[in-house]
Amino acid sequence: MNCKFNNKVALITGAGTGIGCAVAQRFADEGAQVLILGRTESTLQETAAANKNIKYIVADIEKDSDIEKTVQELQNNYGRLDILVNNAGWAPVTPFSQVKMAEYDKVFSINVRALVNITLHLLPLLKKSKGNIINMSSVICKNHLPNMSMYAGTKAAVEIFTQIWAKELAQDGVRVNAIGVGSIETPIYGKTELSDSGIKEHIDKITKAIPQGHFGKPEDIAAVAAFLASDEAAFVTGSIYGIDGGFGA
C-alpha cells in the first residue's frame, strides 16, 4: 500500500463497523492519521486496534456538545483536518402509511442535521488545509425503493448539499463529493425494526435488482473514498459516484 495520505488527518463518523470501518482502515493503511467517532465504544476499539494510525472518540453527532468535544480533540491532538467523511447514518424501512413522526425526526436528525452541524463546525479547519469532504449518499436517490421514502429524502438533501457546497467552497480550495452507496454488506439492516424474515425478504428483493447479482463489500466504497480524498482527484468536486453494481444505471 502506498502512502498517499502521509501527513494528512482524516475524521470519519460512524466508523465502528461497515463502510466507516473500511474507510478508516484504508486511509490509515495509506498513511493518514485517522480519528473515528461513533456511539459504541466496543466497535470503535475493534476498528482502532487494526492500525496504530487510528484513534477513536465516543461521540453522538446528534449532540452539539459531542461535536464540540470532537472539534476540541482534533485541535488538541492533531491541530488540523484534511479529510472529513460524513458516513454516520440510519436507514429505516417503513411503508409511508406506517411512518411515525418520531421516525421522520430521527432519520433527518442523524442523516441531515448532524451532517450539516459537524461540517459547519469543522469547516474552518478544512478551509485552512484546503481539504475535502466526502458525504455518503445512496443510490436510491436515483433508483427509488418502496418503503424507504424517509431515508431517500435525507440522502436527496445530502446530494444537493454536496453539489452546492462544492460550488461555494471551491474558492477556498475545499473539494466536496459524495458516494452514492448501493447495497453493501454491512450491519445497517439489522438496525431497522424489521424482523429477521423481513430483513431477508428485503435483501432478496434488492439482490434481484442488482445487475451484478450480489451485494458489494465495504472495501468497494473505501477504494473510491481513497481516490476522492487523494490528489489524484484534484479536479473532482461536486460529483456523486455511484458504487452499486449497476443498480442505479
Side-chain angles (χ1 to χ4, degrees):
M1 206 54 88
N2 63 40
C3 296
K4 68 175 68 172
F5 297 132
N6 273 357
N7 303 315
K8 302 290 187 182
V9 175
L11 174 69
I12 304 168
T13 67
T17 61
I19 290 170
C21 173
V23 173
Q25 291 178 1
R26 178 66 182 257
F27 283 8
D29 285 344
E30 299 201 18
Q33 297 298 313
V34 182
L35 180 63
I36 59 173
L37 61 85
R39 294 181 296 183
T40 306
E41 186 167 17
S42 59
T43 57
L44 293 169
Q45 286 176 333
E46 289 176 12
T47 299
N51 192 299
K52 62 181 177 60
N53 287 350
I54 303 176
K55 307 298 181 188
Y56 73 87
I57 179 172
V58 179
D60 181 350
I61 59 171
E62 289 186 83
K63 298 178 179 178
D64 292 0
S65 59
D66 280 12
I67 289 179
E68 290 162 5
K69 177 177 71 174
T70 300
V71 174
Q72 197 61 50
E73 179 88 2
L74 278 167
Q75 293 277 23
N76 292 344
N77 293 317
Y78 301 97
R80 62 182 293 134
L81 178 65
D82 302 277
I83 304 161
L84 169 62
V85 181
N86 284 313
N87 172 70
W90 182 54
V93 183
T94 310
F96 176 62
S97 61
Q98 297 176 24
V99 169
K100 302 293 190 293
M101 289 311 296
E103 178 180 291
Y104 168 90
D105 289 339
K106 179 179 177 180
V107 71
F108 273 83
S109 175
I110 296 171
N111 294 3
V112 180
R113 186 189 185 279
L115 179 148
V116 171
N117 196 13
I118 195 167
T119 304
L120 282 171
H121 275 81
L122 295 171
L123 196 53
L125 286 172
L126 290 164
K127 285 183 176 181
K128 186 175 180 180
S129 68
K130 298 188 185 302
N132 68 86
I133 300 164
I134 299 172
N135 294 322
M136 292 298 172
S137 182
S138 172
V139 69
I140 68 171
C141 290
K142 302 286 191 299
N143 192 344
H144 307 139
L145 287 177
N147 305 329
M148 297 193 75
S149 62
M150 296 299 102
Y151 178 66
T154 65
K155 293 306 184 179
V158 169
E159 292 197 356
I160 291 171
F161 293 159
T162 297
Q163 293 173 324
I164 294 177
W165 296 352
K167 290 187 174 184
E168 290 186 11
L169 298 175
Q171 63 186 359
D172 298 302
V174 176
R175 296 188 294 107
V176 190
N177 293 289
I179 296 178
V181 176
S183 298
I184 303 296
E185 295 176 2
T186 74
I188 192 168
Y189 294 114
K191 298 177 182 178
T192 69
E193 296 181 0
L194 293 175
S195 64
D196 289 345
S197 61
I199 291 172
K200 184 179 184 305
E201 181 181 348
H202 183 69
I203 289 174
D204 288 347
K205 186 183 298 183
I206 293 174
T207 302
K208 290 175 183 176
I210 301 171
Q212 288 193 342
H214 61 85
F215 274 38
K217 304 284 189 185
E219 291 75 17
D220 296 324
I221 307 300
V224 176
F227 163 69
L228 290 174
S230 74
D231 291 340
E232 294 174 286
F235 200 53
V236 179
T237 195
S239 294
I240 299 163
Y241 278 64
I243 314 300
D244 58 17
F247 181 79

